[in-house]
Amino acid sequence: MKGLLSNVINPISIGVNGRTNHLHYPQSLQPSSKSLQFHLGMNHSRPLHITASIRASTQHFHNTAPSKENIELWRNVDAVCFDVDSTVCIDEGIDELALYCGAGNAVAQLTASAMGGSVPFEEALAARLSLFNPSLSQLQSFLHQHPPRLNPGIEDLVQKLKAKNTDVYLISGGFRQMINPVASILGIPKENIFANQLLFGSSGEFVGFDKNEPTSRSGGKATAVQQIRKAHGYKSLAMIGDGATDLEARSPGGADLFICYGGVQLREAVAAKADWLVFSFEDLIMSLG
């Protein structure tokens, strides 16, 4: 596409009162029929809160206590692929960008449909972007004003996986420009990012997204995981996420283990089919041994 800008956003480091802040879930957390909110007060440009939309108790699910086989597999995987929005990060990136551009509610509704699997991902992505058409300047301003908000425990989990020589990837239906700062914080190389790319014209106007990226369409995460596994010859691989597109990654030649993270959004249809359902990354850290 003629006139497109090759656009790189510099990683943004997070500093809050000169220290790293973490949220801690109580070990006795038992989801109820009400939405659960956790708050952490800090000097931040946005209030930090996590909402877990949980409509059923854990008794509704059979997979909150992992099998011995899944624990063993988790401890010995060669690579772990993480979803980003509502998994690594607290927020859904496209929803936050849309809110910044004045189209938050409408886009959030489409995001829920896409993540629940009721609308083909590529259709939902195009529809969401068409509601607000973010310019390059809006994107850059958003990134500088709203650095990534990581979920509690994810930094420790990634560090522990690296210490075990387990390779870590970020696979997202979100956008590279917004995920690069996340990867920088976690120490994940850019070549380990599989995500979409926003495209801008010569004047910085929004012109679309790169439809050649596998993550731009339904089944794309499964394709990305299969490519990763084939390229590196991994014997076993785990996928961690919250949405239907993450569940799709557990497929022949793809992920052997799908762990559903329900600490932000609990999508019951996805959680019910997961090999293991967790509400805190601390569970995964402790299970690594």
Side-chain angles (χ1 to χ4, degrees), residues 109-126:
Q109 291 176 5
L110 284 173
T111 296
S113 297
M115 293 302 99
S118 61
V119 177
F121 184 81
E122 56 271 32
E123 292 181 16
L125 181 59

Side-chain angles (χ1 to χ4, degrees), residues 34-56:
K34 298 180 180 179
S35 292
L36 303 176
Q37 288 193 331
F38 303 89
H39 299 272
L40 177 67
M42 62 172 65
N43 293 329
H44 197 278
S45 59
R46 293 171 289 167
L48 179 57
H49 59 88
I50 301 177
T51 302
S53 299
I54 299 169
R55 298 181 179 87

Side-chain angles (χ1 to χ4, degrees), residues 214-234:
T215 53
S216 68
R217 51 191 177 270
S218 294
K221 287 186 179 179
T223 299
V225 170
Q226 291 165 1
Q227 291 175 352
I228 290 168
R229 186 163 185 167
K230 184 177 180 180
H232 298 275
Y234 295 133

Side-chain angles (χ1 to χ4, degrees), residues 164-175:
K164 290 171 61 69
N165 294 318
T166 303
D167 292 337
V168 178
Y169 295 82
L170 298 178
I171 303 182
S172 176
F175 305 108

